[in-house]
């Protein structure tokens, strides 16, 4: 594709479409790495060309450990995306990252296993050792923070995302370990997506939406799925305002 995508958005749990897209068209993209989670929707917001992909599929049919992260990232790159904002539902560990908080993390620790995590993992591919010291693009992170401020949305700047395997939630002991390791958030979809974006030299940043306290955190005794979805719905409602402000620049 010759047309440049001004911004690609990967929607996580609770975000299955991009509100306000005009002239939207759905694109089926087949890649050498397989099929993406869903059709990619391309449309416009004002004069900006936007691509949107639901990471779990429109009906949330793809579990975190079964997402074809390589196909998703490759397809967006193929369609012309060079900047990607990933929206991820997470659990909060740090005291200022409780339910409904919106966080722009700056670090990540990968606890996943068995996922196809590199474009090098195909016959004949060049082996690349990309610098992943700072997994999120500093420039795009800064733009998200400015956009949130313009939109009047409170966000937490920085934090470490611990990426776990899923789809089950974590034990109290596992969260205690993540806390000792320096994790402030826990989610299931942050990796290998961020590393794959780096391999393709995409600008990539994360909007982490806190759906619940992680196990053993806060004052909750048990994690309630209805509460998770209520918190996530409230946090997700703020995403279009942030992205609209980002696109207005």
């Amino acid at each position: 594709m010759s047309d440049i995508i001004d911004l690609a958005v990967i929607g996580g749990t609770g975000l299955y479409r991009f509100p306000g897209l005009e002239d939207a068209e759905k694109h089926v993209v087949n890649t050498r790495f397989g099929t993406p989670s869903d059709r990619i929707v391309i449309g416009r917001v004002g004069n900006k060309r936007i691509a949107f992909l639901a990471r779990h599929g429109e009906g949330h049919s793809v579990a975190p450990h079964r997402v074809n992260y390589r196909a998703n990232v490759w397809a967006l790159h193929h369609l012309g995306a060079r900047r990607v904002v990933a929206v991820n539902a997470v659990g909060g560990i740090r005291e200022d990252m409780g339910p409904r908080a919106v966080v722009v993390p700056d670090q990540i620790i990968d606890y996943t296993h068995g996922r196809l995590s590199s474009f090098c993992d195909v016959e004949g591919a060049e082996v690349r050792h990309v610098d992943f010291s700072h997994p999120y693009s500093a420039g795009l992170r800064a733009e998200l923070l400015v956009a949130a401020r313009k939109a009047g949305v409170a966000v937490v700047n920085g934090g470490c995302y611990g990426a776990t395997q899923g789809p089950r939630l974590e034990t109290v002991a596992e969260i205690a370990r993540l806390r000792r390791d320096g994790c402030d958030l826990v989610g299931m979809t942050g990796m290998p997506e961020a590393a794959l974006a780096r391999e393709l030299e995409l600008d990539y940043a994360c909007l982490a939406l806190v759906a619940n306290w992680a196990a053993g955190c806060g004052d909750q005794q048990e994690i309630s799925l209805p509460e998770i979805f209520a918190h996530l719905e409230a946090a997700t409602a703020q995403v279009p305002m942030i992205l609209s402000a980002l696109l207005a620049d």
Side-chain angles (χ1 to χ4, degrees):
M1 291 259 175
S2 58
D3 290 338
I4 297 298
I5 302 292
D6 292 290
L7 182 70
V9 177
I10 301 176
T13 301
L15 186 62
Y16 305 113
R17 56 185 59 84
F18 193 107
L21 267 189
E22 300 176 351
D23 303 322
E25 296 182 351
K26 294 183 177 181
H27 294 256
V28 176
V29 182
N30 295 311
T31 81
R32 65 186 298 195
F33 306 102
T35 305
S37 298
D38 207 337
R39 293 174 292 179
I40 297 173
V41 182
I42 297 180
R44 296 187 179 277
V45 173
N47 63 349
K48 300 295 177 68
R49 196 161 180 259
I50 311 302
F52 178 82
L53 173 61
R55 185 186 289 112
H56 298 284
E58 189 171 341
H60 199 93
S61 58
V62 186
H65 66 300
R66 300 297 298 274
V67 171
N68 191 336
Y69 294 95
R70 294 193 303 178
N72 287 354
V73 175
W74 184 272
L76 291 172
H77 179 269
H78 171 74
L79 289 170
R82 296 298 177 265
R83 300 196 307 162
V84 178
V85 171
V87 181
N88 300 78
V90 298
I93 299 174
R94 207 168 82 188
E95 292 173 354
D96 60 339
M97 297 184 184
R100 307 194 181 196
V102 180
V103 185
V104 182
D106 60 353
Q107 277 296 329
I108 196 164
I109 299 177
D110 188 5
Y111 299 92
T112 66
H113 52 85
R115 301 184 182 188
L116 296 172
S117 59
S118 173
F119 293 115
C120 301
D121 295 334
V122 292
E123 186 70 27
E126 175 190 0
V127 177
R128 300 185 62 207
H129 302 283
V130 296
D131 179 10
F132 203 53
S133 303
H134 302 284
Y136 302 109
S137 303
L140 187 53
R141 282 192 70 256
E143 289 181 51
L144 278 175
L145 294 169
V146 170
R149 186 166 62 248
K150 289 181 177 178
V153 177
V155 297
V156 181
N157 177 10
C160 183
Y161 179 131
T164 58
Q165 182 71 358
R168 67 167 177 84
L169 299 176
E170 301 75 25
T171 68
V172 170
E174 287 169 333
I175 294 300
R177 174 200 176 191
L178 265 63
R179 189 196 295 273
R180 290 193 298 271
D181 286 351
C183 295
D184 305 300
L185 302 164
V186 59
M188 303 172 188
T189 54
M191 286 291 287
E193 192 174 275
L196 293 165
R198 181 59 53 86
E199 286 191 2
L200 292 182
E201 300 180 357
L202 298 174
D203 285 332
Y204 178 93
C206 169
L207 274 178
L209 311 180
V210 182
N212 59 283
W213 285 113
C217 300
D219 58 1
Q220 68 180 7
Q221 299 301 312
E222 186 174 315
I223 296 175
S224 161
L225 287 180
E227 286 185 6
I228 284 178
F229 291 124
H231 292 318
L232 191 54
E233 182 178 1
T236 301
Q238 302 183 88
V239 173
M241 295 184 288
I242 298 173
L243 295 180
S244 294
L246 178 68
L247 292 167
D249 293 337

